[in-house]
Structures are given as structure tokens and as C-alpha cells.
Amino acid sequence: MDPEGSRIQDDPDVKVLLAGSTLRKVKSRLWKKNRHFRLLADSQTIWHKSRRAGRGHSTFSVTEVEAVREGHQSEVLQSIAEDFPADLCFTLVFHGRQGNLDLVAESPEEARAWIQGVRKLIHRVKTMDAKEKLDQWVRDWFQKADKNKDGKMIFKEVKKLLKMMNVEMNEEHAWHLFTMADKSESDSLEMEEFVLFYKMLTQRDEVWKVFQDYSADGEKLLLEELESFLKIEQHEEERSAQYAQQLIDRYEPSETAKTQGAMSLDGFQMYLCSQEGSIFKPEHVDLHQDMSQPLSHYFISSSHNTYLMEDQLRGQSSLEAYIQALKRGCRCVEVDCWDGSDGEPVVYHGHTLTSKILFKDVISTLKEYAFKASDFPLILSLENHCCVEQQTVMAQHLSQILGDTLLTTLLDGQVPQQLPSPQELKGKILLKAKKIGGLECSLDETDLVSDDDEMANGDAESPSAEDLPAECLNQNEKKSKSKLSRELSDLVVYCKSVHFHGFEHARLHAKCYEMSSFSESKAKRLVKETGTDFVQCNTKQLSRIYPSGLRTDSSNYNPQEMWNVGCQIVALNFQTAGLEMDLNDGLFRQNGCCGYVLKPDFMRDGNTQFSPDKQGERQNYKPLHLSFQVISGQQLPKVNQKEGSIVDPLVRVEIYGVPQDQAKDETTHINNNGFNPVWNETLNFVVHTPELALVRFVVEDYDKASRNDFIGQFTLPFTCIQTGYRHIHLLSKDGTAIPPASLFIHISISEVTI
């Protein structure tokens, strides 16, 4: 047991977890069953089983738990609130798309111990350094493989464990390492001996070779040798001397080496595997962009059908879906409102079998979670299908629940010539909806129709009364589907929804606070026909793109095409994992994950002539050559834990950007090695508009008979790439970390001679 693990076990709350408790697991108002839960001795695994069940039990790791919510903070626990007081209830929230675990304790004291205990364990995991995390990962594998729980493992068990860990290796070599690690000479490995065995198994020749290139004695890197490596390979010319010392202080495990001002091979490998040694520039991880420009100058992380957990025909509408999207940095959520049977508006996907949730509950959830991941403004995109009376109820809920958080007046009392900035709107929720008249004057109420009611009309868009010429108004009023409530209209300030009449009309008549929504098919057509006009329009006004109503499986379109013309609110189904959400996560991974990314300067100039399909004409056009030497992979997860087979991994690099930059290339596959495959293959690309490009690394399990299986991926903006020897820490299909899975690559970027 590690010392930190021993210390945490002395905590009174953790002691309750170790002793175990019978907790009521709740799945619905009708499904409530007792289960015995306890923390195992590794202080990492929570085990649970039914009181009466025989051998049936399950486990999950604390690393899978993102947060603990107290009281009735889930829809399931809200539904049983009358039966169980809040001080008995809590929810374990898991990373990614895994469902929550709702629990009820037998006493408030027991609930409090579990809430505090699990939070302490989560904090411990978050504050572990890279070495502690790796050691813990190895111990977890030991626990899984030690079936008889005697704390020892014979060679036969080790061979089985290696297969579980995705290692296919020579039996003679494995036995040699086993005997070296068996210090007690008991023909079995105890936990610490197994950790030693694992370290010998994972000695990395490819890192050792790089180390040898800069180490005079082959044993250590002296300060000046480390500086030399940082300058020549890592392109850290400006800060190499001071930085080299910091890296030794931070990552060198040997006190002897530290006192000599040197770094050992272990320290060097730990640095390369750290966040500082990762492909992502550390200075771009934090909030670093200018946040004082107009809203129209930013890409904004945006969700479509935010209320859905699954597909849009039968899926469940859920408050949890809003919480998940907001936690991922989403800054524009959609609320699809319909008349409720008892005068209370409901949110669901109209004319489908999706379940309904109350509008007021959605707004309460937004109030609580809007600014947990980001301080910058949240846009509430209202899809309004309600009668005037229920619209007025909506307006009351918005005002009463959100209070001062809802922006209802102009910031300085002046009609704006440009939109306010994210900085000026910090902590505010903005309503995007139809509005009677403009900010300049107050007009009589006019009949209006919804601006993007796609289920009924496919991709056809219905013009609203206020957008038509005056002579058309009278006949249009008779056809209108709904009227607009004055109370709701008055809550719309900087995001007034209007019908799109073409770029020429927008140039002559549009106000900066007016914005249009486009279906993906209409947007694609405009990108193709008038790309430059679209870019220019988006310098002043916001535009929102949404998936086609025909995407009943809640699949997504490629957002890159829309970002290429400066569209800010490119709305995706956050509940659907895949390439498109990888790109969205990749773009918004920078700038503190705040949900706002400043557009390139050539997309912020109102007179810009930029067009995504004409690169050579751009001012300061400088194509770049991008070279990736894919060296090796580390601890790639198995595609299917139950199968005995080992993965045959390959790496594909994909570039997304303007049409000229779309490219992909891949390595060959390595047979039967997911543990430490070595490729040493170089993939080359030319990138014409690096400011808009995203780079996606995908690892797949090669299969000649069928489609390759996904293993992991990582996506980031071209502008955030660090050159030199770097690790790429892979993510799952859900976008969550899968440590310690990584790729080791060497990256170089150079200018292309035109």
C-alpha cells in the first residue's frame, strides 16, 4: 500500500466507506433496491452487491467518478423526494456518457460520510502526479488479476494478466523479467514486486535512444545537456536555461540527481509523459485570448436539442443532458418549448415520442449550472411553439428564476453599433428568440411564426411576419401559427431571431443584434455559392447552424465547413459521440475550455475578402509543412476485454480545415501489440490555412475482414501544437481520458517555399 493510500484510510469518512454500508440504489420511482457498497483496501475501487445475491457483484473505480451531488439533485431522486428526505440522498456522477448512480443512505450521518468520503477520494486522484497515477493503474491491474485475493501472483497468472493488459510477449523474456522481479524468491510476485516487473516491462528503448543522443555518460542529462535538448528538439529557445532547472525540480525522482542539477532517464521519461511534454501548448490550455471583442468575433460552443440524452424520435428528455453539455463548456443551449396540459410549458422534441420535462425545471437547472465551467455568457436559444398565455408563463419563469443573471436591458442604454464582448457579458444569460420590433423602438404586437420549426417542414424555412414587406403583412397574419407574448419579447436584447433575406439585404439593413438560423443544407449551399459574403456577414452578426430535421438518429454534420466561413453558433448534438464532437471538443479545448474561441484576424475584418476555397489570394498567405514521425504507442486499451485477442494498432492523422487542407494518412498496423507498439513512420502534410485547421489523431485496431475498431483519439487546433518529441494522451469515444494510453511522436513545422 502506498503511504498516501494509508493516510487516506485514516480519514473518519473513508473509514465508513471501508467498513461498508447498505444503500438503497434508485433507478426510478418504482425501482428501489438495497445494495451493499464498500471501498476496497486499494482506496480506489468501490464494490457493491445485492444483500441476497450469491456471487453477483460489481465494481467501479473512483477515477470514473466526476462528482458527488448532495440531496435531490437528479430527476430520479426528485421523483422520490416525498419518500426520502434530501439529507439521505446523493448522486455519483460518472465521466462521459455513463449514467448516474442515485443512492439513499439509512441515516443523514451515513449519507454525509459517503458524500465527503468519495469527494476526498476524487480529490486524491486529481492531485496525484504522473508517477502516482501510473503506479495506481498498475496496482488496479494487479487487483483485477489476483482472483483468489492472496496478494500474490504466480507466473501463470502473470501471463494471463499480460494478455488482459494487451501484451503479447515472448514467454522466455516474460519469465526472465518475472525472476528478476521476484526478490523474495517465492516463485510469485507480491504487489510491489509486480510494480517492479511492470517497470522493467515498460522500459522504453525509443526514449532511451533520445536520452543517449544528449547524455555524455549515458546515465544522466546535466543541466546544460537538458538545455541543449530543449533548444534543439523542443524549440524552447527563449526559456531553456530556467526551464531546464524547473523540469528537474518537477520531474526528477532521484534526490541525488537533483542535487547534481541533473536528470535521470526516469525523470526524462516522466517529463515527456507529463502535460508539459504533451502535444498541446501549455500556454494555450488556460484562458489567454482577448475577450473584449464583439460576440460576433468568436466561435461559440453550441448544442442542438440540448434536452435529449439519445435520439430525437424516442430519446429521453432530461435535465441531466443540460448539465452534461454545460460541464463540457457549451455556451449556447437549445430549449424546445411546447404548451403543457396544465398551463405549464414543457420541453421536448415536438410530435415525437420523446419524454417531456417542465420548462421551469430546465431554467432552474440553467441557473445552477450555467457558470460552473465558464464565466462567459450563456445564450439560451428558444424554439418557441407555445400559445401567448404559456409564453407569458415562460417569461415569468425566466425573470423570477434567473433574476439578475438574465440580461434584459442594454448594457449602457445605447442602441449598439456592434455586439458587446464576452468580457462585458460575463455571468449573464442571453435569450435568443423572436422580438417585437427592434431595440430602437417599440412596435405593436405582430403575428409571427417560429424561425426554425424543422420537424414539420424539413429544411424549408417559414418567413416571419415582421420580416416581410409591409404589403404582405395582412395576408400573412391570417396564416400565422402563433402570436408572440410582449413579456417574452421584452426579454430579448442582443439575440433577436430574424429570417434571412440574403447577404445583400443584410449588408444594407441588418442590425448587429439581429441573427438568423440556417439548416445545415442551406448553410452548405451558401458556403459554396457565396463564401466571402458569409464571412463578411459573420463579422458583424451572429449566425446559428443546426442539423437537418432528417437526422432522426441525432447524428451530426461536420462543423468545420461552418467555422470556415466564421459561423459562430454551430450547434451539434452533444449526446452523440463521434468525429464531429471530437472536432468540437478539439476546437474548444483551448482558451481555458471557456466555450469561446477568438476567430482569426482575417475573419474579423468587415471588409475581408477571405473565402475558404481561395487560399492563394489571402494576404499574408503562408502555407506550412507539417511532419509527424509516429514513433510508438503505450498501453493502448483493448477493444473488447472479453476476447483473448490482442489489438493490431495503426495510427491515422486527419487534417480538417479549408477544402484544400482536408487530408489524412496512416501508418501500417502492428500485429498483436497494444502494449508498446513501435511504428517509426513519418506522415507529411501541407496546411494552407493553419489558423482554421484541426488535427485529429486516431488509433484503430486493424481488421482486414471488417471495419477497423476505434481505440482512442485526440484532436487539437493546429495553432496549439508543440513541436519536438511529444506525447499524445488519448481519449475515449466519449472524449474522456483513458490513462495511461498515449502515442509518442516527433513533430516538425516549417514554412513552404511558394
mmCIF file of all heavy atoms in Angstrom, residues 69 73-75 91 93-94 98-100 306-309 316-327 357 365 369:
data_model
loop_
_atom_site.group_PDB
_atom_site.id
_atom_site.type_symbol
_atom_site.label_atom_id
_atom_site.label_comp_id
_atom_site.label_asym_id
_atom_site.label_seq_id
_atom_site.Cartn_x
_atom_site.Cartn_y
_atom_site.Cartn_z
ATOM 1 N N ARG A 69 -23.158 14.690 -6.025
ATOM 2 C CA ARG A 69 -24.176 15.722 -5.790
ATOM 3 C C ARG A 69 -24.983 15.350 -4.549
ATOM 4 O O ARG A 69 -25.388 14.200 -4.384
ATOM 5 C CB ARG A 69 -25.128 15.830 -6.986
ATOM 6 C CG ARG A 69 -24.455 16.342 -8.237
ATOM 7 C CD ARG A 69 -25.492 16.707 -9.294
ATOM 8 N NE ARG A 69 -24.871 16.701 -10.615
ATOM 9 C CZ ARG A 69 -25.392 16.155 -11.690
ATOM 10 N NH1 ARG A 69 -26.572 15.570 -11.625
ATOM 11 N NH2 ARG A 69 -24.762 16.202 -12.838
ATOM 12 N N GLN A 73 -30.678 16.074 -6.327
ATOM 13 C CA GLN A 73 -30.128 16.801 -7.478
ATOM 14 C C GLN A 73 -30.104 15.955 -8.742
ATOM 15 O O GLN A 73 -29.235 16.105 -9.573
ATOM 16 C CB GLN A 73 -28.717 17.296 -7.161
ATOM 17 C CG GLN A 73 -28.724 18.525 -6.268
ATOM 18 C CD GLN A 73 -27.444 19.312 -6.404
ATOM 19 O OE1 GLN A 73 -27.109 19.812 -7.461
ATOM 20 N NE2 GLN A 73 -26.707 19.418 -5.321
ATOM 21 N N SER A 74 -31.037 15.049 -8.856
ATOM 22 C CA SER A 74 -31.212 14.309 -10.111
ATOM 23 C C SER A 74 -32.711 14.126 -10.291
ATOM 24 O O SER A 74 -33.480 14.172 -9.328
ATOM 25 C CB SER A 74 -30.521 12.952 -10.053
ATOM 26 O OG SER A 74 -31.263 12.047 -9.270
ATOM 27 N N GLU A 75 -33.115 13.886 -11.531
ATOM 28 C CA GLU A 75 -34.549 13.706 -11.795
ATOM 29 C C GLU A 75 -35.108 12.501 -11.044
ATOM 30 O O GLU A 75 -36.228 12.536 -10.543
ATOM 31 C CB GLU A 75 -34.767 13.544 -13.301
ATOM 32 C CG GLU A 75 -34.637 14.876 -14.025
ATOM 33 C CD GLU A 75 -34.281 14.705 -15.495
ATOM 34 O OE1 GLU A 75 -33.105 14.519 -15.804
ATOM 35 O OE2 GLU A 75 -35.205 14.769 -16.300
ATOM 36 N N THR A 91 -25.972 11.568 -5.290
ATOM 37 C CA THR A 91 -25.797 11.039 -6.649
ATOM 38 C C THR A 91 -24.324 10.995 -7.003
ATOM 39 O O THR A 91 -23.619 12.000 -6.825
ATOM 40 C CB THR A 91 -26.540 11.934 -7.681
ATOM 41 O OG1 THR A 91 -27.920 12.008 -7.329
ATOM 42 C CG2 THR A 91 -26.401 11.390 -9.090
ATOM 43 N N VAL A 93 -21.865 11.010 -10.025
ATOM 44 C CA VAL A 93 -21.885 11.381 -11.450
ATOM 45 C C VAL A 93 -20.604 10.857 -12.086
ATOM 46 O O VAL A 93 -19.506 11.146 -11.614
ATOM 47 C CB VAL A 93 -21.965 12.914 -11.617
ATOM 48 C CG1 VAL A 93 -22.002 13.289 -13.091
ATOM 49 C CG2 VAL A 93 -23.176 13.469 -10.887
ATOM 50 N N PHE A 94 -20.752 10.085 -13.167
ATOM 51 C CA PHE A 94 -19.592 9.492 -13.828
ATOM 52 C C PHE A 94 -19.146 10.322 -15.026
ATOM 53 O O PHE A 94 -19.942 11.054 -15.614
ATOM 54 C CB PHE A 94 -19.922 8.062 -14.273
ATOM 55 C CG PHE A 94 -20.146 7.118 -13.119
ATOM 56 C CD1 PHE A 94 -21.418 6.928 -12.587
ATOM 57 C CD2 PHE A 94 -19.082 6.440 -12.549
ATOM 58 C CE1 PHE A 94 -21.625 6.080 -11.510
ATOM 59 C CE2 PHE A 94 -19.275 5.582 -11.474
ATOM 60 C CZ PHE A 94 -20.543 5.399 -10.952
ATOM 61 N N GLN A 98 -21.743 7.766 -19.284
ATOM 62 C CA GLN A 98 -22.232 6.730 -18.359
ATOM 63 C C GLN A 98 -23.293 7.319 -17.439
ATOM 64 O O GLN A 98 -23.164 8.447 -16.967
ATOM 65 C CB GLN A 98 -21.046 6.209 -17.539
ATOM 66 C CG GLN A 98 -21.363 4.992 -16.696
ATOM 67 C CD GLN A 98 -20.132 4.525 -15.918
ATOM 68 O OE1 GLN A 98 -19.010 4.841 -16.271
ATOM 69 N NE2 GLN A 98 -20.351 3.789 -14.852
ATOM 70 N N GLY A 99 -24.359 6.555 -17.186
ATOM 71 C CA GLY A 99 -25.464 7.055 -16.360
ATOM 72 C C GLY A 99 -25.057 7.289 -14.910
ATOM 73 O O GLY A 99 -24.090 6.706 -14.411
ATOM 74 N N ASN A 100 -25.805 8.153 -14.226
ATOM 75 C CA ASN A 100 -25.540 8.449 -12.818
ATOM 76 C C ASN A 100 -25.943 7.277 -11.928
ATOM 77 O O ASN A 100 -26.728 6.412 -12.322
ATOM 78 C CB ASN A 100 -26.353 9.670 -12.371
ATOM 79 C CG ASN A 100 -25.911 10.927 -13.091
ATOM 80 O OD1 ASN A 100 -24.853 10.967 -13.679
ATOM 81 N ND2 ASN A 100 -26.759 11.946 -13.042
ATOM 82 N N THR A 306 -30.573 20.238 -26.855
ATOM 83 C CA THR A 306 -29.768 20.011 -25.648
ATOM 84 C C THR A 306 -30.482 19.110 -24.642
ATOM 85 O O THR A 306 -29.831 18.408 -23.859
ATOM 86 C CB THR A 306 -29.422 21.359 -24.980
ATOM 87 O OG1 THR A 306 -29.022 22.284 -25.989
ATOM 88 C CG2 THR A 306 -28.307 21.203 -23.967
ATOM 89 N N TYR A 307 -31.797 19.103 -24.678
ATOM 90 C CA TYR A 307 -32.582 18.367 -23.682
ATOM 91 C C TYR A 307 -32.566 16.852 -23.903
ATOM 92 O O TYR A 307 -33.042 16.097 -23.061
ATOM 93 C CB TYR A 307 -34.047 18.852 -23.716
ATOM 94 C CG TYR A 307 -34.593 18.994 -25.120
ATOM 95 C CD1 TYR A 307 -35.184 17.928 -25.773
ATOM 96 C CD2 TYR A 307 -34.459 20.193 -25.812
ATOM 97 C CE1 TYR A 307 -35.637 18.040 -27.066
ATOM 98 C CE2 TYR A 307 -34.906 20.326 -27.112
ATOM 99 C CZ TYR A 307 -35.498 19.247 -27.738
ATOM 100 O OH TYR A 307 -35.933 19.359 -29.037
ATOM 101 N N LEU A 308 -32.024 16.388 -25.038
ATOM 102 C CA LEU A 308 -32.090 14.957 -25.349
ATOM 103 C C LEU A 308 -30.853 14.205 -24.888
ATOM 104 O O LEU A 308 -29.728 14.659 -25.073
ATOM 105 C CB LEU A 308 -32.266 14.740 -26.857
ATOM 106 C CG LEU A 308 -33.635 15.105 -27.446
ATOM 107 C CD1 LEU A 308 -33.654 14.814 -28.936
ATOM 108 C CD2 LEU A 308 -34.757 14.339 -26.752
ATOM 109 N N MET A 309 -31.080 13.005 -24.323
ATOM 110 C CA MET A 309 -29.982 12.119 -23.928
ATOM 111 C C MET A 309 -29.650 11.143 -25.057
ATOM 112 O O MET A 309 -28.549 10.622 -25.139
ATOM 113 C CB MET A 309 -30.357 11.307 -22.683
ATOM 114 C CG MET A 309 -30.538 12.136 -21.431
ATOM 115 S SD MET A 309 -29.008 12.844 -20.804
ATOM 116 C CE MET A 309 -28.311 11.468 -19.916
ATOM 117 N N GLN A 316 -34.895 10.106 -24.338
ATOM 118 C CA GLN A 316 -35.377 10.690 -23.083
ATOM 119 C C GLN A 316 -34.986 12.164 -23.011
ATOM 120 O O GLN A 316 -33.838 12.524 -23.246
ATOM 121 C CB GLN A 316 -34.734 9.931 -21.915
ATOM 122 C CG GLN A 316 -35.180 10.428 -20.550
ATOM 123 C CD GLN A 316 -34.327 9.834 -19.434
ATOM 124 O OE1 GLN A 316 -33.462 9.004 -19.665
ATOM 125 N NE2 GLN A 316 -34.573 10.283 -18.212
ATOM 126 N N SER A 317 -35.948 13.032 -22.713
ATOM 127 C CA SER A 317 -35.638 14.435 -22.432
ATOM 128 C C SER A 317 -35.206 14.507 -20.976
ATOM 129 O O SER A 317 -35.856 13.936 -20.106
ATOM 130 C CB SER A 317 -36.872 15.321 -22.648
ATOM 131 O OG SER A 317 -37.330 15.199 -23.976
ATOM 132 N N SER A 318 -34.119 15.202 -20.724
ATOM 133 C CA SER A 318 -33.571 15.139 -19.369
ATOM 134 C C SER A 318 -32.844 16.421 -18.991
ATOM 135 O O SER A 318 -32.145 17.023 -19.807
ATOM 136 C CB SER A 318 -32.596 13.964 -19.288
ATOM 137 O OG SER A 318 -31.888 13.973 -18.088
ATOM 138 N N LEU A 319 -32.987 16.794 -17.720
ATOM 139 C CA LEU A 319 -32.229 17.930 -17.185
ATOM 140 C C LEU A 319 -30.745 17.577 -17.166
ATOM 141 O O LEU A 319 -29.884 18.440 -17.318
ATOM 142 C CB LEU A 319 -32.702 18.250 -15.762
ATOM 143 C CG LEU A 319 -34.180 18.647 -15.632
ATOM 144 C CD1 LEU A 319 -34.547 18.803 -14.164
ATOM 145 C CD2 LEU A 319 -34.466 19.936 -16.381
ATOM 146 N N GLU A 320 -30.449 16.283 -16.991
ATOM 147 C CA GLU A 320 -29.061 15.826 -16.949
ATOM 148 C C GLU A 320 -28.335 16.168 -18.252
ATOM 149 O O GLU A 320 -27.139 16.454 -18.256
ATOM 150 C CB GLU A 320 -29.024 14.315 -16.704
ATOM 151 C CG GLU A 320 -27.657 13.759 -16.379
ATOM 152 C CD GLU A 320 -27.043 14.338 -15.126
ATOM 153 O OE1 GLU A 320 -27.761 14.526 -14.117
ATOM 154 O OE2 GLU A 320 -25.837 14.618 -15.163
ATOM 155 N N ALA A 321 -29.069 16.139 -19.368
ATOM 156 C CA ALA A 321 -28.458 16.457 -20.665
ATOM 157 C C ALA A 321 -27.948 17.906 -20.674
ATOM 158 O O ALA A 321 -26.877 18.193 -21.226
ATOM 159 C CB ALA A 321 -29.477 16.242 -21.783
ATOM 160 N N TYR A 322 -28.706 18.828 -20.059
ATOM 161 C CA TYR A 322 -28.245 20.224 -19.950
ATOM 162 C C TYR A 322 -26.997 20.314 -19.074
ATOM 163 O O TYR A 322 -26.042 21.027 -19.405
ATOM 164 C CB TYR A 322 -29.355 21.108 -19.364
ATOM 165 C CG TYR A 322 -30.443 21.447 -20.363
ATOM 166 C CD1 TYR A 322 -31.629 20.726 -20.399
ATOM 167 C CD2 TYR A 322 -30.274 22.483 -21.282
ATOM 168 C CE1 TYR A 322 -32.621 21.019 -21.321
ATOM 169 C CE2 TYR A 322 -31.262 22.789 -22.207
ATOM 170 C CZ TYR A 322 -32.433 22.052 -22.232
ATOM 171 O OH TYR A 322 -33.405 22.339 -23.151
ATOM 172 N N ILE A 323 -27.017 19.588 -17.961
ATOM 173 C CA ILE A 323 -25.875 19.628 -17.040
ATOM 174 C C ILE A 323 -24.621 19.124 -17.748
ATOM 175 O O ILE A 323 -23.553 19.747 -17.677
ATOM 176 C CB ILE A 323 -26.168 18.777 -15.776
ATOM 177 C CG1 ILE A 323 -27.353 19.370 -15.000
ATOM 178 C CG2 ILE A 323 -24.933 18.689 -14.888
ATOM 179 C CD1 ILE A 323 -27.895 18.474 -13.888
ATOM 180 N N GLN A 324 -24.747 17.992 -18.473
ATOM 181 C CA GLN A 324 -23.593 17.416 -19.171
ATOM 182 C C GLN A 324 -23.043 18.376 -20.214
ATOM 183 O O GLN A 324 -21.833 18.559 -20.341
ATOM 184 C CB GLN A 324 -23.987 16.085 -19.847
ATOM 185 C CG GLN A 324 -24.391 14.982 -18.891
ATOM 186 C CD GLN A 324 -23.235 14.474 -18.036
ATOM 187 O OE1 GLN A 324 -22.082 14.720 -18.321
ATOM 188 N NE2 GLN A 324 -23.564 13.772 -16.964
ATOM 189 N N ALA A 325 -23.934 19.009 -20.994
ATOM 190 C CA ALA A 325 -23.488 19.948 -22.040
ATOM 191 C C ALA A 325 -22.779 21.151 -21.414
ATOM 192 O O ALA A 325 -21.710 21.571 -21.880
ATOM 193 C CB ALA A 325 -24.680 20.404 -22.877
ATOM 194 N N LEU A 326 -23.342 21.705 -20.348
ATOM 195 C CA LEU A 326 -22.739 22.871 -19.696
ATOM 196 C C LEU A 326 -21.389 22.530 -19.086
ATOM 197 O O LEU A 326 -20.450 23.334 -19.135
ATOM 198 C CB LEU A 326 -23.690 23.427 -18.625
ATOM 199 C CG LEU A 326 -24.975 24.067 -19.167
ATOM 200 C CD1 LEU A 326 -25.970 24.308 -18.043
ATOM 201 C CD2 LEU A 326 -24.679 25.375 -19.903
ATOM 202 N N LYS A 327 -21.267 21.312 -18.537
ATOM 203 C CA LYS A 327 -19.983 20.902 -17.949
ATOM 204 C C LYS A 327 -18.909 20.773 -19.023
ATOM 205 O O LYS A 327 -17.726 20.906 -18.742
ATOM 206 C CB LYS A 327 -20.143 19.568 -17.212
ATOM 207 C CG LYS A 327 -20.806 19.727 -15.851
ATOM 208 C CD LYS A 327 -20.624 18.517 -14.966
ATOM 209 C CE LYS A 327 -20.985 17.230 -15.618
ATOM 210 N NZ LYS A 327 -21.155 16.107 -14.684
ATOM 211 N N ILE A 357 -40.135 17.384 -20.155
ATOM 212 C CA ILE A 357 -39.711 17.952 -18.867
ATOM 213 C C ILE A 357 -40.273 19.365 -18.762
ATOM 214 O O ILE A 357 -40.549 20.011 -19.781
ATOM 215 C CB ILE A 357 -38.164 17.965 -18.712
ATOM 216 C CG1 ILE A 357 -37.480 18.495 -19.971
ATOM 217 C CG2 ILE A 357 -37.640 16.606 -18.366
ATOM 218 C CD1 ILE A 357 -35.954 18.544 -19.883
ATOM 219 N N THR A 365 -32.275 24.499 -13.670
ATOM 220 C CA THR A 365 -31.015 23.790 -13.913
ATOM 221 C C THR A 365 -29.984 24.728 -14.536
ATOM 222 O O THR A 365 -28.806 24.723 -14.155
ATOM 223 C CB THR A 365 -31.266 22.569 -14.836
ATOM 224 O OG1 THR A 365 -32.213 21.713 -14.200
ATOM 225 C CG2 THR A 365 -29.977 21.801 -15.100
ATOM 226 N N TYR A 369 -26.223 25.626 -13.104
ATOM 227 C CA TYR A 369 -25.025 25.095 -13.771
ATOM 228 C C TYR A 369 -24.446 26.000 -14.860
ATOM 229 O O TYR A 369 -23.393 25.678 -15.416
ATOM 230 C CB TYR A 369 -25.329 23.718 -14.370
ATOM 231 C CG TYR A 369 -25.497 22.656 -13.313
ATOM 232 C CD1 TYR A 369 -26.757 22.334 -12.810
ATOM 233 C CD2 TYR A 369 -24.395 21.986 -12.787
ATOM 234 C CE1 TYR A 369 -26.914 21.376 -11.821
ATOM 235 C CE2 TYR A 369 -24.537 21.029 -11.794
ATOM 236 C CZ TYR A 369 -25.800 20.725 -11.316
ATOM 237 O OH TYR A 369 -25.939 19.782 -10.330
#
